[in-house]
Amino acid sequence: MKQDFGERPLVGRGAVLDAVMSSILRPGGYGAVVVADAGMGKSALASVVAAKVKGRFPVHRIHTSSSLAHVPFGSLAPLISDLAPADADSPFAVMRSLLHRLFPDGNEPGPMEAPLLIVDDADCLDEAGADLLVQLVAASRIRLLLLARRIADIPAAASNLVWEGSLSRHELFPLSEDQVHELCVQVLGGPVLTSTSSDVTRVSGGNPMLVLALLSETVRVDSLVFRHGVWLLHEQMHPPQGRLGDLLRAQLWGLSEDERDALEIIALAEPLPAAAAFELGLHRAVDSLTEAKLVTISAEPARLLRPLHPLYGEIVRQLVPAARSARLRRRLLAVAAPIRDSPDNLLRLVTWSLDCGAEVPDSALVHAAYRANNHFDSSAALRLAAAVKGPKQAMAARVQAARAWFQDGNLEMAHELISGVTDAAADLTTLKMAVLIRVELARRNHGASGGLSAISADWLAGVDRIEAAAQGNPGEELTADIVSSRRGGRLLALIGMVSEGRFRPAEEELHSILEDARQAGDDEATLIAGTLLAEIMTETGRARSAYRISLEALRILDAGGQRFLSYYQFVLQRHLTTLLSLEEWEEVQAVAQRGIAGVFGGIVHVAGAVEFSLAVVHLRKNDSAAGLTHLLAAVEGLRTSDSEGLLELTLALAALTAAREGQMPAAEELLADGAGLTSRGPASYRVLANGCRAAARSLILMEREPSKVLREFADQAEESGFVAVELELRSLAVTLGDFDGLNRLLKITEEFEGPRAPILNRFARAVLDEDIDELLSCGSTSEPEWEPLAQQCAGEALRLAKASGDRALLQRVQRTLGKQDSGLPAGRNSPAGLPVLTRRERDVASLVMQGYRNAEIAERLFLSVRTVEGHIYRTFEKLGISKREELKQELLGTGQPGKNQ
């Protein structure tokens, strides 16, 4: 896969480019100013402008610098090279020399042919040079494009042209996440995991220069890798080195002593309260750093200072020597303590203290290790846990070390450290943390339910032991915590029940726990109970009812911040499932992006679930190609982290999508990949995955009738009460031409909550009633997501009309279908009275009609013979024929294949 980090594709600047071009194409005397921070793409934009106007009028580029800012006409030196040294200070002589360079033949063109002068870093343009350019603009002799960081810093004579309207003003803002993703795809030359581009956006702040440098650096150190057709970060980004480090060091060069002190303290303490900077006497330096856009200050009441980009903090922390770091730490601690409400600040200060060799209380070390694990920074968590010395915090430190090893993939070490902790933990917090790690280990080894009932029993036994140790006088706070812990133990058992598909017995108890938790103000239990209840409701066809409860859980999750971070994927994935069932596509996109942004430092752990959700959106919109791309990206994300057991289903759905796209070798490879997995997902996921695999095999084997195995899995979903899965499998069977389950489809869609149900219900009733007019009406939709169903409606109406023997009816149906087709966009319409053929099916059909053999068709279209056979089979199936001769009879008068001859 080829990458070119030297070129900068102009992404996300189309509107600004159009506006600048509009100003530049006006006659001489006009132009534009583009304002943006360093690295935002001013020069790249100017280069595109220069390329676009090439041939219309001359273009000259002027490069300024801070060293020339105080040299009269210094920036114009390349354009006045014939100027005699004695005339260097004469404005008139300089003017003559410049005009001679701009108009060498002595004939000045009209205003529409006036040359364009592009001034890079116009902030450094000297006053004399600026005055001269302004005179030429005023005389309509030139056009002007100024590139500057701040308009206030360009010479007054030039800025006046903006206020007068001669120069239009434009600003380049940081790229959005979507734009950074597009830039990553262009530079890397292939699909990029959405979470990877989101991480790049977070670290770079959307600065294109930093994006390119980050991509180059992460590829160089093998942190960003191309795996199975997609680029992804397989670990957290390393501190910037190489070209990236040099770029950032250059930006930090030239700070005053106070500014450097302020920046170093802010980076080392990140974040730093603005009040502490004031007490240290650094307020003026902070103002300068903020103005220079190296530091940002939050609008929240605490007024916290941070480096503008996380990269700046990384670079500064690398540059500070240990001895100086210790002095700065002592200076800061003299005026400020760690911010208790800021986990980043606490973790940074504790780590900083260890770096300086200072003593840190064991309780602070354990707390910081917990925060480091929340950031998925396992190495920091292990270091902090190892620094605990006293026996009182030893068990809690051991738990954090086990969690760090688990997150690092060393399950054996994690199991060894956590063994026996639930039997010995002396406090409820350590007990719960140990339980959660045991849960993850069990699910990794044994699947979704993972023996949760046994772990739940151990948790409740530990609670009883801790309560007994209080000797009958636990106190009000401990009593409330004990009640909450018992709720947690029951909820853990219920998670196992829901994963196993035992919805009915779990739902009643969850309602009771949810009500108790709300009354007690137990946010954690409310979060988990609500999420599980919403999952059951969604799985049983009550997505609208589930949405309100799921949204409450998501809001608690967001409000809880670091406290509930370990539940992030648990809640996020289930809320996305509810939204997908309701087809709330825009909200799916918003929640997916928020989910990625919400897991600072751990984006890779939610990547697979997010990509899967985005894939489903595309598949529901009948965009299989985009859906398959996201599914393959989801597979790679889930190989790294799959706490919810989604990988098996993702592989199955990817295999089905590839088969429907005619990519049979890819489908077979995905099926083989899934066959080697141990089933870990919930029972409903496994049934849906089995159904998708059955459908994929049916397509690969080119079975004349859809696989009966698919119907068997739909029946299994019915028996288990997995209504949403059953709806998916029965509607899938319908799109493949299997109508045997329509009676059941009709029944479940009468009560199913969601926009798909009424349409499927209407279709099922029309087929069962053999209502040709209703089928034609159902098949008239122009919505892309319903196109496969519309094809079945058209085909069934045509079949019924042919079977009736009523020639007038058949002609009416064919005419109706022809009228419907004529109103469809190019590439989606079918010939009058016939089901829609794909573009590739039309290509193959055209060559079949011309008499080519399968091997010859495969050679001409660069396909395998087996793929050609598959296309021919599906074409015959859609048209209801069995011989090549019948193909010509069916299609010759329609003109469909001829489009691609």
Side-chain angles (χ1 to χ4, degrees):
M1 183 67 62
K2 182 182 179 182
Q3 311 93 45
D4 189 347
F5 302 107
E7 295 184 6
R8 179 184 303 181
L10 198 65
V11 171
R13 305 306 190 202
V16 175
L17 175 62
D18 290 344
V20 170
M21 285 297 299
S22 178
S23 297
I24 295 300
L25 293 176
R26 291 187 293 174
Y30 293 98
V33 178
V34 178
V35 180
D37 294 334
M40 285 299 206
K42 300 185 296 294
S43 295
L45 182 78
S47 296
V48 174
V49 169
K52 282 181 172 290
V53 302
K54 185 178 180 181
R56 297 191 184 190
F57 40 79
V59 177
H60 301 275
R61 198 146 188 174
I62 299 170
H63 299 278
T64 64
S65 66
S66 57
S67 61
L68 295 174
H70 302 291
V71 178
F73 309 113
S75 55
L76 300 179
L79 297 179
I80 54 175
S81 56
D82 62 346
L83 184 69
D87 294 332
D89 295 329
S90 169
F92 296 106
V94 172
M95 174 71 84
R96 285 195 302 271
S97 179
L98 180 59
L99 291 174
H100 182 264
R101 176 62 182 273
L102 296 178
F103 315 113
D105 58 3
N107 296 320
E108 294 188 21
M112 296 307 296
E113 291 78 36
L116 169 65
L117 271 65
I118 300 175
V119 183
D120 287 286
D121 297 319
D123 326 63
C124 299
L125 185 62
D126 63 278
E127 294 285 350
D131 290 341
L132 183 54
L133 294 178
V134 168
Q135 290 179 49
L136 292 174
V137 170
S140 299
R141 288 177 161 180
I142 65 169
R143 297 171 167 91
L144 195 59
L145 175 56
L146 301 180
L147 313 177
R149 294 194 185 186
R150 296 195 319 157
I151 198 166
D153 290 339
I154 67 176
S159 62
N160 286 339
L161 293 176
V162 177
W163 315 133
E164 294 169 0
S166 296
L167 302 184
S168 59
R169 183 180 185 276
H170 312 273
E171 190 164 358
L172 298 181
F173 296 99
L175 300 178
S176 67
E177 287 198 4
D178 287 343
Q179 291 165 347
V180 171
H181 182 82
E182 182 184 348
L183 180 57
C184 291
V185 170
Q186 287 194 26
V187 171
L188 295 172
V192 178
L193 207 63
T194 301
S195 60
T196 293
S197 59
S198 295
D199 208 9
V200 172
T201 305
R202 175 186 63 81
V203 176
S204 68
N207 183 301
M209 177 186 71
L210 296 183
V211 169
L212 293 173
L214 268 172
L215 295 178
S216 175
E217 181 67 13
T218 50
V219 168
R220 186 184 68 83
V221 299
D222 290 330
S223 177
L224 179 62
V225 296
F226 189 69
R227 186 182 295 165
H228 295 94
V230 65
W231 286 96
L232 72 156
L233 280 167
H234 66 89
E235 57 186 21
Q236 293 187 54
M237 288 188 178
H238 292 291
Q241 302 290 340
R243 177 191 172 209
L244 180 54
D246 293 339
L247 285 170
L248 293 178
R249 288 181 181 88
Q251 286 193 286
L252 303 178
W253 188 259
L255 299 178
S256 70
E257 184 176 347
D258 281 350
E259 290 168 347
R260 182 169 292 279
D261 283 355
L263 184 58
E264 289 175 351
I265 290 175
I266 291 168
L268 290 163
E270 185 182 349
L272 177 72
F278 188 87
E279 289 189 52
L280 289 168
L282 297 173
H283 48 285
R284 288 191 179 86
V286 168
D287 289 342
S288 299
L289 293 172
T290 305
E291 187 176 353
K293 297 188 177 180
L294 292 173
V295 165
T296 182
I297 184 167
S298 65
E300 59 205 46
R303 304 281 287 170
L304 301 177
L305 295 163
R306 291 181 174 87
L308 181 64
H309 301 309
L311 286 176
Y312 290 174
E314 291 284 359
I315 282 290
V316 172
R317 287 189 286 274
Q318 286 180 26
L319 294 176
V320 180
R324 177 173 172 79
S325 176
R327 288 197 300 272
L328 291 172
R329 177 184 177 278
R330 287 193 295 269
R331 185 178 170 188
L332 173 62
L333 292 182
V335 300
I339 309 168
R340 295 299 174 188
D341 294 333
S342 174
D344 292 348
N345 176 266
L346 173 67
L347 176 58
R348 190 81 64 200
L349 283 178
V350 170
T351 305
W352 187 9
S353 299
L354 288 182
D355 290 340
C356 297
E359 287 291 327
V360 181
D362 284 350
S363 59
L365 288 168
V366 170
H367 197 186
Y370 169 76
R371 299 300 184 188
N373 273 325
N374 281 353
H375 283 276
F376 298 92
D377 189 349
S378 301
S379 59
L382 289 170
R383 179 191 178 196
L384 292 160
V388 172
K389 297 181 176 63
K392 186 176 180 180
Q393 297 289 337
M395 188 73 70
R398 182 174 161 187
V399 169
Q400 293 306 322
R403 184 181 172 196
W405 282 120
F406 173 79
Q407 291 181 166
D408 240 15
N410 192 331
L411 306 188
E412 184 178 349
M413 182 64 76
H415 186 273
E416 181 180 334
L417 285 172
I418 209 66
S419 180
V421 173
T422 48
D423 297 330
D427 64 274
L428 294 173
T429 300
T430 302
L431 173 64
K432 183 175 77 171
M433 292 297 302
V435 165
L436 293 177
I437 295 168
R438 282 186 60 189
V439 167
E440 291 300 328
L441 285 167
R443 293 176 74 176
R444 182 70 64 90
N445 292 324
H446 306 297
S449 56
L452 299 189
S453 58
I455 301 175
S456 170
D458 287 348
W459 188 0
L460 293 172
V463 174
D464 291 341
R465 176 174 47 77
I466 292 171
E467 183 180 34
Q471 299 179 345
N473 186 27
E476 185 176 341
E477 183 177 353
L478 181 57
T479 298
D481 288 344
I482 286 172
V483 172
S484 178
S485 294
R486 289 202 170 105
R487 281 195 201 100
R490 282 304 306 144
L491 284 169
L492 181 57
L494 289 168
I495 290 173
M497 290 176 65
V498 173
S499 294
E500 293 166 2
R502 293 188 285 152
F503 293 157
R504 289 183 181 177
E507 183 171 354
E508 184 175 350
E509 187 172 357
L510 281 169
H511 276 293
S512 176
I513 291 177
L514 181 60
E515 185 61 30
D516 289 345
R518 284 171 174 165
Q519 291 181 1
D522 187 344
D523 285 345
E524 187 170 9
T526 302
L527 170 78
I528 298 169
T531 299
L532 286 173
L533 196 55
E535 179 181 2
I536 291 174
M537 289 180 169
T538 301
E539 292 281 8
T540 52
R542 295 170 286 162
R544 287 200 184 97
S545 305
Y547 176 76
R548 176 179 53 83
I549 300 173
S550 183
L551 189 61
E552 177 191 13
L554 190 68
R555 286 170 177 166
I556 293 173
L557 181 72
D558 289 339
Q562 293 277 331
R563 182 184 170 200
F564 299 139
L565 192 57
S566 57
Y567 302 123
Y568 210 98
Q569 186 165 349
F570 176 79
V571 177
L572 177 70
Q573 183 169 319
R574 286 158 178 80
H575 187 64
L576 284 170
T577 300
T578 300
L579 293 175
L580 289 169
S581 186
L582 293 173
E583 299 190 4
E584 295 289 349
W585 306 140
E586 291 185 5
E587 195 168 350
V588 168
Q589 294 276 358
V591 171
Q593 290 298 334
R594 184 170 58 175
I596 290 174
V599 190
F600 177 82
I603 289 177
V604 68
H605 294 267
V606 298
V610 168
E611 293 289 346
F612 179 84
S613 299
L614 297 177
V616 172
V617 172
H618 286 290
L619 292 177
R620 289 282 177 82
K621 291 181 177 181
N622 203 33
D623 187 352
S624 297
L628 183 57
T629 297
H630 281 284
L631 283 170
L632 295 176
V635 166
E636 295 313 311
L638 291 167
R639 291 189 202 279
T640 301
S641 178
D642 182 27
S643 63
E644 300 301 323
L646 192 58
L647 179 57
E648 181 184 13
L649 174 58
T650 306
L651 282 165
L653 186 56
L656 173 60
T657 305
R660 298 184 86 163
E661 282 283 283
Q663 300 180 26
M664 300 309 174
E668 290 177 332
E669 183 178 344
L670 288 162
L671 285 175
D673 199 350
L677 291 177
T678 300
S679 293
R680 292 183 49 247
S684 58
Y685 284 14
R686 297 198 294 273
V687 174
L688 182 55
N690 286 334
C692 290
R693 282 195 291 264
R697 291 191 186 98
S698 178
L699 290 172
I700 291 171
L701 296 174
M702 298 179 290
E703 294 175 347
R704 187 77 182 166
E705 296 181 2
S707 173
K708 293 180 181 179
V709 180
L710 175 57
R711 293 198 296 274
E712 292 173 2
F713 286 121
D715 293 342
Q716 182 181 340
E718 177 186 353
E719 293 169 7
S720 303
F722 302 158
V723 181
V725 171
E726 183 187 357
L727 182 74
E728 289 292 338
L729 295 180
R730 296 205 187 280
S731 61
L732 172 59
V734 164
T735 61
L736 295 177
D738 179 4
F739 294 168
D740 284 359
L742 283 182
N743 281 310
R744 175 60 186 169
L745 184 63
L746 184 67
K747 182 177 180 180
I748 61 177
T749 52
E750 288 174 352
E751 298 181 357
F752 193 93
E753 297 177 5
R756 304 180 71 201
I759 299 174
L760 289 168
N761 182 276
R762 184 181 171 195
F763 167 79
R765 189 173 298 279
V767 174
L768 291 170
D769 293 346
E770 297 188 349
D771 187 336
I772 292 177
D773 289 331
E774 180 66 359
L775 284 167
L776 291 174
S777 178
C778 290
S780 65
T781 180
S782 59
E783 297 297 324
E785 54 263 45
W786 296 110
E787 184 177 306
L789 191 62
Q791 293 178 29
Q792 294 297 336
C793 290
E796 184 65 8
L798 187 62
R799 185 191 68 78
L800 290 170
K802 287 181 176 179
S804 70
D806 186 335
R807 190 169 185 82
L809 174 63
L810 177 59
Q811 290 176 347
R812 179 170 68 84
V813 169
Q814 289 178 328
R815 283 196 304 271
T816 301
L817 292 174
K819 290 177 182 178
Q820 291 173 1
D821 295 333
S822 64
L824 293 174
R828 287 185 46 224
N829 57 313
S830 66
L834 293 173
V836 174
L837 299 183
T838 66
R839 179 186 61 81
R840 185 59 78 188
E841 286 167 351
R842 294 197 303 270
D843 292 342
V844 172
S846 175
L847 295 173
V848 168
M849 290 170 57
Q850 295 176 54
Y852 288 98
R853 298 191 306 274
N854 290 356
E856 294 171 326
I857 295 172
E859 183 177 356
R860 288 175 68 91
L861 297 180
F862 303 101
L863 301 173
S864 69
V865 174
R866 184 171 182 177
T867 299
V868 170
E869 292 171 348
H871 286 308
I872 294 173
Y873 157 71
R874 282 185 291 278
T875 300
F876 284 10
E877 182 182 41
K878 289 179 179 181
L879 300 179
I881 60 178
S882 58
K883 299 179 181 178
R884 290 177 178 254
E885 294 77 12
E886 295 177 66
L887 178 66
K888 192 170 185 179
Q889 180 181 344
E890 288 286 338
L891 296 181
L892 187 59
T894 69
Q896 177 169 334
K899 294 176 184 177
N900 293 285
Q901 288 184 14

